[in-house]
Amino acid sequence: MKKLFYLLLLPIFFTMGACSSDDSEDNNEGNDPLSHLSEDAKKLVGCWDEGWVFYPDGTCCFIDHNGYEISREYGEWTYDDKTKLLTTTVGSKQYSVSLLSQNSWAGINLGSGSTVSWHRYDIGYAGELISRKQWSGNSNIRISPNTHYTSGTGVYMHELIWGLNGWEKDTAFPKIKDPSEFYEDGEYRSYGGTYYTVQVERCIEVSKASFVTNTSMLLEATIGDDYFWTDEWYGYKTNLSRQTFFTGTILLENMYSDDAKLTIDGNMNGQSFKREYRAIK
């Protein structure tokens, strides 16, 4: 009799197991911020060169490099799989897309009639996501992707370098050395004979970024102090030298969430260093 009872219960157990599996899959899909997008629209999410940024929630940002300044214009975007139209609310920027892959897209700017092409820029995307939040840990830090310098042949916006602020309360970070320790009287003399006051900024420099999952990215990075002088007319920065003291990785997790996490892990002046930060809501 007992044997018959257990046999009758088996179908119920299997049904419960199937329901549990389905619920788990539904929850996983619900937690994926890209799940509501079509396969082609998913390819557009991210940063493209140093211009477009498309987020999975339908918002977007156009980064414009106008001379020595960087401006950002925000709006919304959609992509129609059938018509191949990429529509935004930023100015007159609408595109007829003729090529779309994981790492590039191309088409026609319907506003100007010109052909355009864009390439994926994961470091830029990480910078935009990280800089939109303030991070709490041993100290409250803020990371800004707006630092830019000139190269030897002209102006060049170095979005790979981000300013790091708020680290001062964490004694594991070394103090910044005064510019006078490296430059006489803390000044730099240009070829034209003009003297400029040397300034210093603590920065993160990222050499590589890669997706771990749809919602996490791993960055290879260094942290150091950049010494520079600033043009008094245009305000752009010319880099002089860099004192690097950290080499390692930065892991960005749950990057679209209010509960995003940032982990800095590596070597600080010959010693192991690890810090975990949570986004401040």
Side-chain angles (χ1 to χ4, degrees):
M1 189 69 179
K2 289 182 178 180
K3 186 175 181 180
L4 178 60
F5 175 74
Y6 289 130
L7 288 174
L8 291 173
L9 286 178
L10 283 177
I12 299 175
F13 291 146
F14 285 129
T15 302
M16 291 175 63
C19 290
S20 176
S21 176
D22 290 344
D23 289 344
S24 177
E25 289 177 5
D26 289 343
N27 289 335
N28 288 336
E29 183 179 355
N31 291 333
D32 182 358
L34 278 69
S35 62
H36 66 287
L37 298 174
S38 68
E39 291 305 311
D40 280 346
K42 288 178 183 178
K43 296 175 184 177
L44 287 166
V45 172
C47 182
W48 299 93
D49 294 313
E50 294 181 354
W52 277 113
V53 185
F54 298 115
Y55 298 104
D57 65 356
T59 60
C60 63
C61 172
F62 185 74
I63 306 171
D64 186 22
H65 295 173
N66 180 17
Y68 303 112
E69 298 179 347
I70 300 175
S71 64
R72 287 172 170 77
E73 187 174 356
Y74 295 90
E76 299 178 354
W77 72 280
T78 61
Y79 180 73
D80 190 306
D81 288 6
K82 294 180 179 180
T83 62
K84 308 299 182 184
L85 288 180
L86 171 57
T87 304
T88 80
T89 60
V90 178
S92 59
K93 296 177 174 60
Q94 324 295 326
Y95 303 92
S96 176
V97 178
S98 56
L99 180 150
L100 177 59
S101 68
Q102 290 288 9
N103 296 309
S104 62
W105 63 274
I108 298 175
N109 183 333
L110 299 181
S112 64
S114 60
T115 58
V116 296
S117 62
W118 300 86
H119 303 87
R120 185 172 293 282
Y121 182 39
D122 288 340
I123 293 177
Y125 193 43
E128 293 299 310
L129 289 166
I130 291 173
S131 65
R132 295 173 75 179
K133 301 178 183 295
Q134 188 172 352
W135 303 90
S136 176
N138 286 55
S139 61
N140 291 347
I141 63 170
R142 192 72 185 255
I143 298 172
S144 169
N146 288 331
T147 300
H148 49 88
Y149 300 93
T150 62
S151 67
T153 56
V155 176
Y156 122 91
M157 303 306 178
H158 201 340
E159 292 247 30
L160 308 184
I161 295 180
W162 310 330
L164 173 62
N165 299 295
W167 54 269
E168 292 86 354
K169 292 184 179 180
D170 189 342
T171 56
F173 281 92
K175 293 182 178 180
I176 292 179
K177 295 181 179 180
D178 191 271
S180 61
E181 294 192 33
F182 305 102
Y183 303 93
E184 186 176 354
D185 297 325
E187 295 180 326
Y188 167 74
R189 185 172 184 174
S190 69
Y191 291 112
T194 305
Y195 285 88
Y196 294 95
T197 300
V198 177
Q199 302 175 59
V200 59
E201 181 181 25
R202 180 145 290 177
C203 294
I204 295 175
E205 183 169 11
V206 180
S207 59
K208 184 179 179 180
S210 56
F211 278 87
V212 180
T213 68
N214 281 342
T215 59
S216 64
M217 297 182 73
L218 184 66
L219 319 176
E220 296 179 9
T222 62
I223 302 176
D225 298 326
D226 283 3
Y227 293 82
F228 61 92
W229 61 271
T230 301
D231 180 273
E232 61 184 23
W233 296 104
Y234 298 101
Y236 66 83
K237 302 174 181 179
T238 297
N239 183 257
L240 294 173
S241 63
R242 179 179 175 84
Q243 301 293 320
T244 300
F245 54 82
F246 169 87
T247 301
T249 61
I250 299 176
L251 178 62
L252 173 61
E253 299 175 274
N254 296 327
M255 56 194 191
Y256 301 117
S257 169
D258 289 338
D259 194 34
K261 182 180 178 181
L262 197 68
T263 303
I264 301 177
D265 190 4
N267 185 288
M268 175 91 78
N269 286 333
Q271 302 293 325
S272 295
F273 176 87
K274 185 174 182 179
R275 289 291 184 272
E276 295 182 352
Y277 303 91
R278 290 284 184 178
I280 299 176
K281 297 180 182 180

